[in-house]
Amino acid sequence: MPRHVACVMDGNGRWAQRRSLPRTAGHQAAESAVIDVVEAARTAGVRWLTLYAFSTENWNRPGTEVDHLMRLVRRAVRRHAPLLLARGIRCRFLGAADPRVPPELAQDFDDLTALTSGNRGMTLTIAFDHGGRRDIVAAARSLIRSGTPADEVTERLFADHLPFPDMPDVDLVIRTSGEQRISNFMLWHVAYAEWVFPEVLWPDFRAPDFLACLHTYRRRDRRFGGVPPRTNGERS
């Protein structure tokens, strides 16, 4: 079972387009998939789940779509806070640093983080206004400000200056809709992740699809740059 699973929730716009609906309808339909996947991950025993909800590049989308998405996210956070608390899920938000994030939404993020901070079940991280490169630059700046000599910088020390230093590396990334891009997502943490690209669009992604991705992961041979062990029938 992967310890840390991350989902790039892709395909909302195409889901709406295929139904001759506005793109905002796709974002609205995505909420059901989020709750289904959270429940499926928790039940399956996944300890860390990260969902890519909004990237630093998504600010380039039409203002009306961005505003609608902000309202949807705020409504979803408030609606599902009691469920997340009851399920023992700890919630955190990765990013949300841009001043264009509405103050009331940023406050809702802080409130949910505080509300669930004592939970000891699965950790759910919402990557919102997130950019992998930005996080790496911020970590480098933090190291420089700390006065750490260059020859003392190690991967472990560098990781300690990233947001949420306790977050383990990602084992499995699921990107829906068949697209095969990293999209500036958690670049440090996905260095050795396995990737799965189901064709299903995110609003149609449900627990059986998520479990199928876990099954695919469990069939992978993770070698981390090494070679597979020889069986008794193989010659050296």
Side-chain angles (χ1 to χ4, degrees):
M1 185 60 61
R3 183 184 184 195
H4 187 179
V5 179
C7 297
V8 181
M9 305 183 291
D10 200 6
N12 297 346
R14 277 164 285 167
W15 184 93
Q17 186 179 27
R18 291 177 184 179
R19 290 160 177 78
S20 300
L21 297 171
R23 289 177 54 87
T24 52
H27 298 313
Q28 189 166 347
E31 183 179 337
S32 297
V34 169
I35 298 304
D36 217 45
V37 166
V38 168
E39 288 279 28
R42 183 188 67 86
T43 303
V46 174
R47 299 298 298 172
W48 296 75
L49 177 66
T50 299
L51 304 179
Y52 200 9
F54 191 85
S55 72
T56 51
E57 293 76 23
N58 286 154
W59 290 109
N60 297 322
R61 294 187 175 187
T64 53
E65 180 179 344
V66 171
D67 290 344
H68 185 81
L69 184 58
M70 297 292 169
R71 291 192 297 270
L72 283 177
V73 171
R74 188 179 188 206
R75 187 164 64 242
V77 167
R78 293 190 163 199
R79 178 186 296 135
H80 300 295
L83 174 67
L84 296 168
L85 178 63
R87 293 289 192 266
I89 297 172
R90 179 176 61 157
C91 300
R92 303 194 298 191
F93 294 86
L94 177 63
D98 195 292
R100 288 173 291 184
V101 176
E104 59 272 15
L105 178 58
Q107 185 61 56
D108 287 338
F109 289 168
D110 290 342
D111 290 345
L112 182 58
T113 299
L115 177 68
T116 62
S117 62
N119 286 348
R120 294 297 179 263
M122 183 178 73
T123 295
L124 171 63
T125 303
I126 305 296
F128 192 91
D129 179 38
H130 162 69
R133 286 182 172 179
R134 183 177 65 184
D135 285 352
I136 290 174
V137 169
R141 288 173 174 168
S142 177
L143 273 168
I144 293 170
R145 285 194 295 267
S146 71
T148 304
D151 56 1
E152 293 183 11
V153 176
T154 63
E155 290 187 10
R156 177 180 290 274
L157 181 60
F158 188 90
D160 287 342
H161 287 260
L162 290 166
F164 306 141
D166 62 329
M167 178 182 287
D169 285 347
V170 176
D171 298 304
L172 169 64
V173 182
I174 302 169
R175 180 166 189 152
T176 55
S177 83
E179 297 290 341
Q180 300 184 15
R181 296 187 301 275
I182 297 177
S183 295
N184 197 21
F185 180 49
M186 298 183 72
L187 298 179
W188 182 272
H189 293 90
V190 303
Y192 278 99
E194 298 291 325
W195 289 72
V196 178
F197 303 101
E199 293 291 334
V200 61
L201 304 178
W202 179 258
D204 292 327
F205 196 75
R206 291 295 182 269
D209 303 299
F210 181 81
L211 296 176
C213 292
L214 296 188
H215 182 66
T216 298
Y217 169 85
R218 294 175 71 178
R219 296 201 312 266
R220 299 276 179 90
D221 181 16
R222 304 188 76 202
R223 298 194 293 271
F224 299 97
V227 296
R230 294 198 303 269
T231 64
N232 291 334
E234 292 178 329
R235 297 181 180 177
S236 60

